[in-house]
Structures are given as structure tokens and as C-alpha cells.
Amino acid sequence: DTEVTQTPKHLVMGMTNKKSLKCEQHMGHRAMYWYKQKAKKPPELMFVYSYEKLSINESVPSRFSPECPNSSLLNLHLHALQPEDSALYLCASSQRDRGLGGHEKLFFGSGTQLSVL
Amino acid sequence: AQKITQTQPGMFVQEKEAVTLDCTYDTSDPSYGLFWYKQPSSGEMIFLIYQGSYDQQNATEGRYSLNFQKARKSANLVISASQLGDSAMYFCAMRLTGGGNKLTFGTGTQLKVEL
């Protein structure tokens, strides 16, 4: 079982709705990520939080709003989405690993499959 | 900017056989890490194996090994003794040392293991 928990697993929303995706990890990792993945495509980085501060924003439209209330939680607030935003949204967390040359191993959740109607 | 290329959109392998998934990369940075992730139909990305650019030996993790050829900029994943549960999407990825927390993924290879 993944140690990164995402809820909900599936979400259907209209273009006028406001919804939130939630992600939680209790591994003590200080970096957390949001990725967007279209079917049969690689994940695309959206946001990175490091020590609860937004460190990377990959020019994501403002209808996606990330929030990191504490070191264990990461939210993604959704508002006025478009049908092309339908995708699998993956959350991940990481920490430096000496066995990986100081690189960070990402632990991913199972994702939220989002459909925008 | 770094780039990862996986030229095999789909691969088939017989159960118990070995299979090689190709990955080439392009970067001018001398220090980087290479990763392979597995994504089954459940959606979760599972870390498989890591190779550092300065590592002298090829990485191995159980049935997974990485054929690292630095001069050719290739980092192929070898899965030995394939099992039905190995059927999944496989992504090669790279991170530059000092490149922040940014992992760049290849386009992936869909592997199907047959009886």
C-alpha cells in the first residue's frame, strides 16, 4: 500500500464547481508535489512545496490553487476548470536519500482521476 | 534543458523471459540521477531503481537491473524472469543534481507479459 494517501480517488465536477483534492503523508518528508497526468502520457509537474513553501510553480493556470497547511498535508483547490483539465492528478512526497547520491526518491499516491464535464 | 527518450511505446514478453526497456537521455550537466518508475493500471507510480551519473557499477534491485552506458547516454532497464504482475507502464526519469526537485520523465513504455 502507498504511504501517500490521496482523496478522493475519483471526482466528477462541472465547470462552475469548486472542489479540492487532498494528499497526506506521514513519512516526515519535507517536499510535496502535484503532478498532472493525461492517459498514456508521462506525469507533468505542476507544483512543488519544500518545507511548506511553494518552491516550484510550472506556470499552471490560476484555476488550480495549491495549499500546504502543514508538512503532512497538501491540497489542490480547483475552480472553474475546463474539460481539458480532466486527468489523473498525482501527489508525491520525497526526502533526500544518501543511497541515491543525495537525490530524492519520490513516493507517489494512487492519484485522483478527475473528470470535468 | 534535459530530455529523456523512450522509443518503445509498447513491448511484449513471455512470462519468465527477460526484457529490456530502452531509455536515452540528453543533458550537458555532468551530475545527474536516473530513475525508473513502474505505473500499474491502479495509477500509483512505484520507484524501481536508481543510477547516479558517477556510479561505476550498474545498479541492481532484485529482478531489476540498469544497463548504464554513460558515453552513449543510455540507461536501459532489464527485467529478468518476467511475471504477469510486471505488466504496467514504465517511465524513465532524470533529475539534475542541484536542479531542485524537478524530475523529468520520458514518454513511457507499456509492457505486457504473456503466458
Side-chain angles (χ1 to χ4, degrees):
Chain A
D1 287 342
T2 180
E3 296 179 79
V4 177
T5 303
Q6 289 189 244
T7 56
K9 292 194 183 302
H10 301 274
L11 178 63
V12 179
M13 60 186 290
M15 289 188 283
T16 59
N17 292 159
K18 285 185 181 181
K19 297 286 185 182
S20 296
L21 309 185
K22 298 187 183 299
C23 175
E24 188 170 3
Q25 58 89 13
H26 294 289
M27 295 178 281
H29 293 172
R30 304 314 298 262
M32 296 187 75
Y33 310 70
W34 280 115
Y35 281 86
K36 173 183 177 181
Q37 186 179 25
K38 292 284 213 178
K40 306 294 185 186
K41 298 290 186 183
E44 299 173 5
L45 183 63
M46 300 175 73
F47 303 104
V48 180
Y49 273 83
S50 181
Y51 290 89
E52 299 162 49
K53 292 189 189 311
L54 184 63
S55 62
I56 295 179
N57 178 339
E58 292 288 285
S59 302
V60 177
S62 59
R63 56 186 184 268
F64 295 92
S65 175
E67 178 197 18
C68 189
N70 59 56
S71 59
S72 299
L73 295 174
L74 185 66
N75 298 324
L76 186 63
H77 303 299
L78 314 172
H79 173 56
L81 294 192
Q82 303 297 309
E84 59 265 29
D85 296 322
S86 298
L88 180 69
Y89 288 84
L90 291 164
C91 173
S93 68
S94 72
Q95 66 179 17
R96 289 194 183 278
D97 188 322
R98 289 182 182 175
L100 271 58
H103 285 281
E104 307 207 5
K105 180 195 295 186
L106 267 64
F107 292 79
F108 285 84
S110 296
T112 294
Q113 187 65 54
L114 174 67
S115 297
V116 181
L117 303 178
Chain B
Q2 64 267 34
K3 184 179 178 183
I4 298 280
T5 302
Q6 295 180 253
T7 58
Q8 305 155 314
M11 290 280 286
F12 290 90
V13 65
Q14 294 285 320
E15 193 181 22
K16 300 180 185 177
E17 297 292 311
V19 63
T20 297
L21 306 184
D22 294 342
C23 173
T24 58
Y25 59 92
D26 187 24
T27 181
S28 56
D29 198 298
S31 182
Y32 49 87
L34 295 159
F35 302 76
W36 277 91
Y37 280 85
K38 171 186 178 182
Q39 187 176 37
S41 56
S42 59
E44 180 190 354
M45 298 278 285
I46 302 167
F47 167 80
L48 296 178
I49 196 166
Y50 161 85
Q51 181 83 44
S53 59
Y54 295 118
D55 292 346
Q56 295 296 310
Q57 293 188 326
N58 288 342
T60 60
E61 289 283 351
R63 293 187 298 111
Y64 305 108
S65 61
L66 204 151
N67 184 0
F68 181 46
Q69 298 186 45
K70 191 170 182 177
R72 297 180 61 187
K73 294 188 175 179
S74 73
N76 299 339
L77 177 70
V78 181
I79 305 174
S80 62
S82 296
Q83 302 171 356
L84 294 177
D86 293 333
S87 295
M89 192 74 156
Y90 288 80
F91 290 100
C92 181
M94 178 170 67
R95 171 185 276 120
L96 300 181
T97 305
N101 289 332
K102 190 162 183 178
L103 195 63
T104 300
F105 287 90
T107 51
T109 295
Q110 182 71 51
L111 176 67
K112 294 199 173 177
V113 181
E114 301 175 315
L115 290 170

